[in-house]
Amino acid sequence: MFKPQQTSQQFAPAREDLAVHIQHLNYFFGAGDLSKQVLFDISLELPKGQIVILTGPSGSGKTTLLTLAGALRSLKDGSLRVLGKELVGLSDRALVGVRRNIGFIFQAHNLFESLTASQNVEMAVELTGNFSSKRDQAGAMLSALGLADRVDYKPQSLSGGQKQRVAIARALVNHPKLILADEPTAALDKKSGRDVVNYLHALSREEGCTVLMVTHDNRILDVADRIINLVDGRLESDSSPNAFIQSKQGDPTDVSADMFIM
Amino acid sequence: MAKRIPLAWLNLIHDRRRFATSLAGVGFAVLLMFMFNGFMNALYDSQLQLLNRFNGEVIIVNRLRTNMFVPRAFARRRLYQARAFDGVQNAYAVYISEVNWKNPDTRKSRVVRVIAINPDEPVLNIPELDTHRQALRLPETALMDTQSRAEVGPIEAGVITELADRHIRLVGTFTMGTDFASGNGNLLMSDQNFLRYFADRGPEEVERSFATVDVGVLKLEPGANVERIVKTLQENLPNDVLVLARDGENGFVIRERKYWQENTNIGFVFSLLTSMGFFVGIILVYQILYTDVADHWAEYATLKAMGYKNIYLLGVVMQEAVILSVLGFIPGVLVSQLLYQAAGNATGLFFQMTAARVINLLLATFVMCLVSGAIAVRKVQTTDPADVF
Ligand SMILES: Nc1ncnc2c1ncn2[C@@H]1O[C@H](COP(=O)(O)OP(=O)(O)OP(=O)(O)O)[C@@H](O)[C@H]1O
Ligand SMILES: [Mg+2]
C-alpha cells in the first residue's frame, strides 16, 4: 500500500477529462538477463471522446502499448491511468474488473462459430447481468452497424466485413468509455474495411467514447482526431492527420494526401 | 426465459459429426467398462445360480467342500439328525455328480453335471419341476438346462441318447445356467434315477448310494430363528459337516462367491480391464475437450479480454465434460445391454445388469469425464488474452 502512494506523488494528479493518462511508462518483456525493453518513457494523454490512431513500424511496440492500456498485462513501472483507475500495481483480479469497461476489437473477429451474431454480442451483455434485455441490446447494436437482417446468422454465413462489424457490436454493446482496436481492418478488403471504420467512427461520436486504434492502413487515417507515431518503443510524433501527412510528404513509400477519400 | 447462453452445449453440438463421434467415443469407453465388469460379475453370479435355487434356510455340506467344485459328500444320517432339532421342518438331500453325456447328433461325449432330488419333495425352486414331476418319476428320464452349452446337442423333450453309457430320455427342459462346476450343462433327474446311473460305474469311479449326500437343504418351520438353529446345529452335529445359513453375510451363497473372489484372478484381471476402459475414456474425453479448447483458443482468450473470469471458462469445459459423460453413457449402456444378452446366450453365464451396477458405472463415467475436464482446463487457464492481439 505504501509504494503506490509514493510513486503517485511523482506523477501529475488524476484528471477528469482524460480517458487514458500515461506517464513515464517503461515496459520490459522477459526477466533478468533476457529482459528486453520495448517501451521507453512513454507519456501520453488521451482526452475523452478523441479518436486516436497509433502508427509505426512493425515491432515498435504498438500492440504492447494497447494491451497495457487494456489491462491485459500487469505492469510495475510508471503510471497508467485508464478511466480514472491506476493500473500500475493492480492485481490480475482487479485488472479483469477494469477490462469490463473497455471495448476490444482485434484483427481477427474471434467470434464463436457456434453462436449467432446476436448470441456473440449477448455474451458481452451477460457480463453486466442484464439478462432480460440482452437480446434487445444486442439487436439494437447490430442494427446500428447495419446488420439488422443478420441478427440470427452464424458467422459462417456472414462476410468478412459483416463478421468484423459483429465483433465491433460486441465491443460496443456495453457502451464502453474506451475502445482499443488493433488493426481492425487488416483482414478486410478495401470497401468493407472502410465501412467498418465508418461505423466505428459514427458510433464513437454518438457515444462520446475514446478510441485508440492501431493501424497500418493509410486509407483510414482521416477518421482520426490525432495520429501518434511510435518508433522503437518511443513516441516519435503526435499530430493532427493533416500535419502527419505533411510531415510524411516527399517520402514516396509512405502516405500521401490523395489516399484520403473523404 | 432470459438465461445465460449455453456456450458449452452450443460449442459441443456445433459440429454435428464431431459431436456424434465424441459420444461414440465416450459410449465405447462405457461399453468397455460394462463388458469387463459384466464378465466379472457374470462369472461370480453364475456360481450362485444353483445355490439360490435351494429351497431352505439352512444348508449342510461336507466340511471339506470349500466350494461347489469339490466333490465331497457327507453321511445322510446327518440329515436325519438335523431333522430332529426343534424348528427344523424337513431335511432334503441333493445329489450331484459329473458324468459323460453323448451328444445325440455328433456322438461325442461331453461332461455334464447331474443334479438329483426326490421329485416328491420341494428341494429346488425350479418351476419347471412342477410340470415334469410325473415324467421324472419314470426310469431313465431327465430335464436338460436350456442354458447348457451348444456342445450337448439338441435338448428338447423326446431326445434319446446315452448318459454314462446308459440309455436316457429327455422329458423337458428347465432354465438355470452354467457355472465353473457344471461342465457343459446341467441335467436334472430323480434320486432313483441317479442311483441307476451312479451306483455302479466301474472300478475307477466312486460308487454312489443314498448313504451319502452332496448338499443337505433344511426347511425350517415358519418364523423360526435361522441364526439360532444354525448355531445349535453347528454345536450338536458332528464335526464332519458344516452348517450354514443359506443367505446373509456369513451364509452359504456369499461363502461361495467369496471363494471364487479370493481364490481366482477373475477379480484382479477384470478390474484391471475395467480400469483400462476407464483410462481409455479419460484419454478420449481429454482429447475431445482439448481439441475444443485449442480450436476456440482465440475466442476463449477474447472472452477473458472482455472481462470473463477464469472460473467461467473452467465452468464451460467442465459442463462439456458432464454433457459428454451423460450423453455418451446412454448409447454405451444400451449397446451393453444387447451385448450382455448375446454374451449370456453364447456362454450360459448369468449376465445381470442391476440398477446398482448401472449407477456405479454412471458414476465412474462421470468421474472419468471430470478427470479429463480437470486436465483440459489447464489449457484454458493458461490462455493469455494479451496474446490475441
Ligand atoms: N510476448 C512477448 N514476449 C517477448 N517479446 C515480445 C512479446 N510480444 C512482443 N514482443 C516484442 O516486443 C516488441 C514490440 O512488439 P509489438 O507486438 O508491440 O509491436 P507492434 O508495433 O505491434 O508490431 P506490428 O506492427 O508488427 O504488430 C517486438 O520486438 C516484439 O518482438
Ligand atoms: Mg501489433
Side-chain angles (χ1 to χ4, degrees):
Chain A
M1 277 291 96
F2 180 66
K3 191 145 185 286
Q5 262 177 348
Q6 194 189 38
T7 46
S8 65
Q9 278 166 3
Q10 302 165 1
F11 302 114
R15 279 170 52 189
E16 269 293 302
D17 59 327
L18 295 183
V20 178
H21 192 183
I22 305 174
Q23 296 171 77
H24 305 296
L25 177 77
N26 293 297
Y27 191 78
F28 300 81
F29 276 115
D33 289 346
L34 294 171
S35 123
K36 176 183 163 219
Q37 187 164 8
V38 293
L39 293 177
F40 298 84
D41 195 31
I42 306 278
S43 291
L44 187 61
E45 294 176 359
L46 301 189
K48 286 182 175 165
Q50 232 179 28
I51 299 183
V52 180
I53 280 181
L54 185 59
T55 65
S58 184
S60 57
K62 306 181 295 293
T63 298
T64 309
L65 186 59
L66 213 63
T67 56
L68 288 171
L72 297 173
R73 298 181 193 281
S74 53
L75 71 181
K76 293 154 202 80
D77 203 22
S79 164
L80 172 52
R81 280 197 208 103
V82 174
L83 305 171
K85 189 132 186 139
E86 175 61 65
L87 300 191
V88 175
L90 271 195
S91 69
D92 283 351
R93 184 177 267 279
L95 288 176
V96 174
V98 176
R99 276 181 224 157
R100 295 195 179 186
N101 303 310
I102 301 173
F104 292 95
I105 304 167
F106 308 90
Q107 181 174 335
H109 53 78
N110 296 341
L111 299 174
F112 279 100
E113 292 286 340
S114 58
L115 304 185
T116 62
S118 174
Q119 286 171 324
N120 266 295
V121 179
E122 287 169 40
M123 285 300 294
V125 184
E126 287 187 3
L127 277 169
T128 65
N130 294 333
F131 288 94
S132 52
S133 64
K134 63 176 183 173
R135 167 100 194 157
D136 296 339
Q137 281 177 261
M141 189 51 72
L142 286 167
S143 303
L145 283 154
L147 293 170
D149 55 344
R150 295 287 185 274
V151 169
D152 291 319
Y153 282 49
K154 295 238 173 105
Q156 64 192 16
S157 35
L158 296 175
S159 73
Q162 288 170 333
K163 280 189 263 205
Q164 195 59 304
R165 270 141 68 193
V166 176
I168 290 176
R170 177 172 64 180
L172 297 183
V173 69
N174 289 337
H175 308 286
K177 287 285 159 248
L178 174 65
I179 291 169
L180 301 173
D182 196 354
E183 314 206 29
T185 60
L188 303 178
D189 62 66
K190 187 173 161 184
K191 165 86 170 60
S192 24
R194 186 71 222 176
D195 284 350
V196 160
V197 169
N198 282 348
Y199 275 116
L200 187 58
H201 180 242
L203 280 174
S204 72
R205 282 283 181 265
E206 243 168 66
E207 307 262 327
C209 62
T210 314
V211 178
L212 178 58
M213 174 159 62
V214 172
T215 186
H216 284 293
D217 190 350
N218 292 321
R219 300 173 310 227
I220 61 171
L221 296 179
D222 56 285
V223 298
D225 296 316
R226 187 176 158 198
I227 294 177
I228 295 168
N229 197 17
L230 196 64
V231 178
D232 289 337
R234 291 182 174 84
L235 281 187
E236 181 88 353
S237 68
D238 185 345
S239 49
S240 72
N242 278 328
F244 181 74
I245 290 149
Q246 297 302 322
S247 73
K248 296 280 178 167
Q249 287 287 328
D251 183 349
T253 59
D254 226 315
V255 238
S256 64
D258 50 58
M259 280 173 164
F260 283 39
I261 36 167
M262 290 188 80
Chain B
M1 94 144 273
K3 291 179 304 192
R4 208 172 260 286
I5 292 168
L7 185 61
W9 170 249
L10 293 173
N11 273 354
L12 272 181
I13 62 164
H14 177 61
D15 186 341
R16 295 292 155 100
R17 185 174 304 174
R18 189 196 273 183
F19 184 52
T21 323
S22 303
L23 291 188
V26 178
F28 179 67
V30 171
L31 184 79
L32 283 182
M33 291 197 284
F34 260 110
M35 286 324 287
F36 293 136
N37 201 45
F39 265 103
M40 179 176 78
N41 284 319
L43 287 173
Y44 291 143
D45 292 347
S46 298
Q47 307 315 314
L48 314 178
Q49 296 179 107
L50 174 58
L51 314 201
N52 281 324
R53 306 291 178 123
F54 291 146
N55 179 33
E57 294 79 11
V58 179
I59 307 290
I60 301 182
V61 287
N62 186 314
R63 185 165 290 279
L64 298 177
R65 190 187 270 266
T66 50
N67 63 79
M68 292 299 284
F69 208 79
V70 179
R72 289 283 182 162
F74 66 91
R76 192 179 182 195
R77 61 179 180 282
R78 300 279 174 262
L79 285 186
Y80 298 134
Q81 289 164 353
R83 194 183 292 164
F85 282 85
D86 261 0
V88 180
Q89 195 177 65
N90 219 332
Y92 310 127
V94 180
Y95 307 90
I96 297 173
S97 189
E98 289 194 340
V99 72
N100 275 334
W101 160 272
K102 189 166 276 179
N103 180 331
D105 287 348
T106 64
R107 312 301 297 165
K108 278 205 184 104
S109 288
R110 295 284 170 179
V111 172
V112 297
R113 175 173 63 190
V114 174
I115 303 160
I117 52 153
N118 179 346
D120 297 317
E121 290 176 335
V123 189
L124 297 173
N125 288 319
I126 294 179
E128 294 92 333
L129 269 175
D130 294 334
T131 18
H132 299 296
R133 209 173 291 283
Q134 196 54 45
L136 284 177
R137 287 190 191 113
L138 302 172
E140 302 183 327
T141 57
L143 301 181
M144 182 63 97
D145 187 353
T146 55
Q147 300 297 99
S148 299
R149 298 174 49 136
E151 279 86 346
V152 301
I155 56 169
E156 65 274 6
V159 167
I160 295 173
T161 182
E162 284 168 27
L163 185 74
D165 301 323
R166 287 178 62 133
H167 173 271
I168 189 159
R169 182 167 60 94
L170 292 184
V171 293
T173 57
F174 69 105
T175 299
M176 194 168 77
T178 59
D179 57 59
F180 290 146
S182 69
N184 290 280
N186 295 299
L187 203 61
L188 193 59
M189 62 171 60
S190 71
D191 46 0
Q192 296 296 334
N193 275 324
F194 184 79
L195 218 53
R196 280 195 180 88
Y197 290 99
F198 296 96
D200 178 21
R201 275 210 290 157
E204 294 111 73
E205 302 287 342
V206 190
E207 217 172 272
R208 292 300 304 262
S209 72
F210 285 155
T212 57
V213 169
D214 287 273
V215 180
V217 179
L218 299 192
K219 186 80 198 156
L220 302 189
E221 271 156 13
N225 183 335
V226 179
E227 228 170 287
R228 219 196 57 228
I229 291 175
V230 167
K231 199 158 177 289
T232 317
L233 289 171
Q234 278 169 345
E235 283 164 3
N236 292 293
L237 285 183
N239 233 342
D240 56 351
V241 291
L242 195 67
V243 183
L244 290 166
R246 194 191 76 153
D247 302 322
E249 203 49 40
N250 297 312
F252 187 60
V253 174
I254 300 287
R255 186 187 80 129
E256 184 76 11
R257 188 183 172 101
K258 270 195 192 141
Y259 174 84
W260 295 108
Q261 279 174 347
E262 287 164 10
N263 291 283
T264 61
N265 287 330
I266 295 171
F268 175 74
V269 169
F270 283 98
S271 301
L272 193 71
L273 289 171
T274 307
S275 43
M276 266 173 51
F278 183 79
F279 284 110
V280 165
I282 288 186
I283 294 167
L284 270 172
V285 176
Y286 171 72
Q287 196 68 33
I288 297 165
L289 296 178
Y290 183 90
T291 314
D292 176 66
V293 175
D295 285 358
H296 301 110
W297 171 83
E299 289 94 309
Y300 284 132
T302 302
L303 288 186
K304 279 197 188 182
M306 283 157 58
Y308 276 96
K309 299 199 178 97
N310 259 330
I311 188 87
Y312 173 82
L313 298 180
L314 304 193
V316 169
V317 173
M318 291 321 261
Q319 281 171 44
E320 290 189 356
V322 170
I323 293 170
L324 284 173
S325 68
V326 173
L327 292 189
F329 187 79
I330 295 168
V333 76
L334 292 179
V335 175
S336 300
Q337 192 112 48
L338 295 178
L339 287 184
Y340 270 25
Q341 270 170 27
N345 288 336
T347 59
L349 290 173
F350 183 37
F351 280 84
Q352 217 185 351
M353 198 177 273
T354 63
R357 288 171 189 172
V358 172
I359 289 169
N360 271 343
L361 284 187
L362 177 61
L363 288 180
T365 310
F366 201 60
V367 171
M368 175 179 99
C369 290
L370 288 186
V371 170
S372 314
I375 312 173
V377 288
R378 298 216 306 232
K379 171 87 179 157
V380 190
Q381 259 170 323
T382 55
T383 303
D384 184 355
D387 292 338
V388 252
F389 275 108

